[in-house]
Amino acid sequence: MKQETYFTQLDGIRFLAVGLVLVDHWLAERNVLPLGVLGVTMFFVLSGFLITRILIQSKLKDDKVGRSHWFSVKQFIIRRSIRIFPIYFLTIFVLYALDVPPVRETVWWCLTYTTNIYIATKEHWMGTIDHLWSLAVEEQYYLIFPYLILFLPVKNYLKVLFSMIVLSIIIRIFLFLNGNEWMVQYVLMPTCLDSFGLGGLLAYYFTFKKETIFEEISKTKYLIASFILLISLMFFVRQYQLSSNQVHHFGNLVLERFIGSLFCFFLIAKAVTGYDGIMKFILENPASSYLGRISYGLYLYHNFVYNVYHTPNTSIVMKVLHKIQSVIPILSQNLAFELIYFLAITVFLATASWYLIEKPVNNLKKHFTY
């Protein structure tokens, strides 16, 4: 049974996801749309699809060759660790050595992938390492979900996946009605399960109902309808915020992630079967494909290159920027140039990370096939 099918356009989806996050984080208040939220949601749905598909195929192969599912558990953990841990822990080590706040004070939260729990319990963000919360969510998901797929009968998969979606929404509603600080329902792993669940549904239908349900899901009309729904929600949320002076409310705390996940559900389904035309070019051109491949590094490093709230003018990145702008005055206060400058540095760091660390280490995965 072949597991390593490579969906070319999914690299382009990764590029879109990380691009949305970078634009959102670097523009801050200049951007009024929740692009970062949508970008992270896209990553979650994509992870749900890819991880669930791998696990389902592993279970089917276990059953076919008569081996224990614990073999697949071990392989999954090793392969995920090889992919995720090296540059993550290296980054934490470097930040700790340079005494970048608040790493030393929160180092155990960082090392145990629980920064999202720190944010939820302390009810405040973590400065330049804010973005690590989503990596913590993914890791916590990996610690639980594989056992459900590998050890439960296939007939229970749909119940599990739909339950994840419903439970996640119920938890967000409960936290909202209970008056919890907004970041609590934003960063906790259980409140993100609708994204993973919808991605899991894609994997289930692709594996077992590819010629029927999955083919129907991948039709463009559903993508367009979900996009219209998402844009309508964004418009409603924005207008409500302006009229009520409420930044956080039911629309963006409860509905936004689900509607965004639904849009990503159809977006990814179509990418799996393959877009044509302009979308094919966007997702498959060499730049998109490459940036998608190094998207983990882009996401991990971008906040250290520049963060509108936490990067001081005394940082090396900002000193060089100001020097360039003093030499070429036309570039002073030029937002487009600043974004290109930050992106160039981030791409350079992610490229070095990919070729010097990630790619060589990833080659070890061939020794741990399913």
Side-chain angles (χ1 to χ4, degrees), residues 111-142:
L111 293 176
T112 57
Y113 278 92
T114 51
T115 52
N116 64 325
I117 297 174
Y118 176 91
I119 292 169
T121 54
K122 305 295 183 181
E123 296 188 349
H124 64 76
W125 293 98
M126 302 178 72
T128 55
I129 58 172
D130 282 345
H131 62 307
L132 300 185
W133 75 268
S134 63
L135 302 182
V137 166
E138 293 246 12
E139 190 61 26
Q140 291 158 22
Y141 166 73
Y142 296 153

Side-chain angles (χ1 to χ4, degrees), residues 231-282:
I231 293 298
S232 300
L233 175 67
M234 287 182 176
F235 178 78
F236 166 77
V237 166
R238 181 61 180 163
Q239 291 304 114
Y240 187 85
Q241 288 171 342
L242 291 173
S243 63
S244 66
N245 201 32
Q246 279 187 272
V247 177
H248 303 292
H249 48 84
F250 188 86
N252 60 9
L253 293 182
V254 176
L255 298 179
E256 190 172 76
R257 178 168 281 144
F258 174 70
I259 301 299
S261 298
L262 199 62
F263 166 69
C264 295
F265 174 83
F266 293 112
L267 179 76
I268 292 168
K270 184 62 179 175
V272 168
T273 58
Y275 285 95
D276 296 317
I278 185 65
M279 277 298 289
K280 178 182 176 67
F281 172 77
I282 291 173

Side-chain angles (χ1 to χ4, degrees), residues 3-286:
Q3 291 195 38
E4 300 299 328
T5 300
Y6 196 82
F7 303 103
T8 304
Q9 294 189 358
L10 293 190
D11 277 336
I13 295 295
R14 292 185 182 93
F15 159 70
L16 291 181
V18 77
L20 290 172
V21 172
L22 266 57
V23 168
D24 183 80
H25 287 181
W26 287 342
L27 288 181
E29 280 87 358
R30 295 181 181 183
N31 166 54
V32 299
L33 297 175
L35 300 181
V37 177
L38 182 60
V40 171
T41 297
M42 200 174 294
F43 275 126
F44 287 166
V45 177
L46 184 58
S47 289
F49 169 70
L50 294 173
I51 296 304
T52 305
R53 181 172 175 271
I54 288 171
L55 292 169
I56 290 176
Q57 290 189 324
S58 299
K59 179 185 175 64
L60 295 178
K61 187 170 183 180
D62 289 345
D63 292 340
K64 182 178 181 180
V65 302
R67 70 188 180 196
S68 169
H69 296 315
W70 287 107
F71 170 85
S72 291
V73 169
K74 182 190 73 173
Q75 301 302 91
F76 176 83
I77 293 173
I78 292 174
R79 288 172 64 88
R80 283 288 87 196
S81 299
I82 288 172
R83 179 65 188 103
I84 295 170
F85 288 168
I87 64 169
Y88 177 85
F89 287 121
L90 179 60
T91 298
I92 299 302
F93 174 78
V94 171
L95 296 174
Y96 185 93
L98 296 176
D99 195 17
V100 175
V103 176
R104 289 193 178 180
E105 307 94 279
T106 61
V107 66
W108 292 112
W109 298 90
C110 297
L111 293 176
T112 57
Y113 278 92
T114 51
T115 52
N116 64 325
I117 297 174
Y118 176 91
I119 292 169
T121 54
K122 305 295 183 181
E123 296 188 349
H124 64 76
W125 293 98
M126 302 178 72
T128 55
I129 58 172
D130 282 345
H131 62 307
L132 300 185
W133 75 268
S134 63
L135 302 182
V137 166
E138 293 246 12
E139 190 61 26
Q140 291 158 22
Y141 166 73
Y142 296 153
L143 289 175
I144 298 172
F145 187 70
Y147 301 95
L148 297 178
I149 296 299
L150 291 173
F151 292 99
L152 285 176
V154 172
K155 65 180 181 181
N156 290 336
Y157 285 179
L158 286 180
K159 293 178 184 177
V160 169
L161 294 168
F162 278 113
S163 296
M164 287 167 57
I165 296 168
V166 173
L167 178 63
S168 182
I169 296 171
I170 289 175
I171 293 173
R172 291 206 298 270
I173 292 173
F174 172 79
L175 292 172
F176 174 78
L177 296 177
N178 199 45
N180 289 86
E181 184 68 26
W182 72 273
M183 62 188 68
V184 176
Q185 54 258 53
Y186 184 66
V187 303
L188 291 178
M189 187 272 286
T191 64
C192 302
L193 285 176
D194 48 345
S195 300
F196 293 112
L198 281 164
L201 281 178
L202 276 183
Y204 176 88
Y205 291 132
F206 182 83
T207 304
F208 299 110
K209 305 286 183 180
K210 184 176 181 180
E211 306 301 326
T212 54
I213 297 178
F214 188 87
E215 186 175 321
E216 182 67 23
I217 290 170
S218 65
K219 290 182 178 177
T220 307
K221 62 181 180 181
Y222 298 111
L223 175 61
I224 294 173
S226 64
F227 180 71
I228 292 172
L229 182 62
L230 177 62
I231 293 298
S232 300
L233 175 67
M234 287 182 176
F235 178 78
F236 166 77
V237 166
R238 181 61 180 163
Q239 291 304 114
Y240 187 85
Q241 288 171 342
L242 291 173
S243 63
S244 66
N245 201 32
Q246 279 187 272
V247 177
H248 303 292
H249 48 84
F250 188 86
N252 60 9
L253 293 182
V254 176
L255 298 179
E256 190 172 76
R257 178 168 281 144
F258 174 70
I259 301 299
S261 298
L262 199 62
F263 166 69
C264 295
F265 174 83
F266 293 112
L267 179 76
I268 292 168
K270 184 62 179 175
V272 168
T273 58
Y275 285 95
D276 296 317
I278 185 65
M279 277 298 289
K280 178 182 176 67
F281 172 77
I282 291 173
L283 297 179
E284 290 190 22
N285 76 79

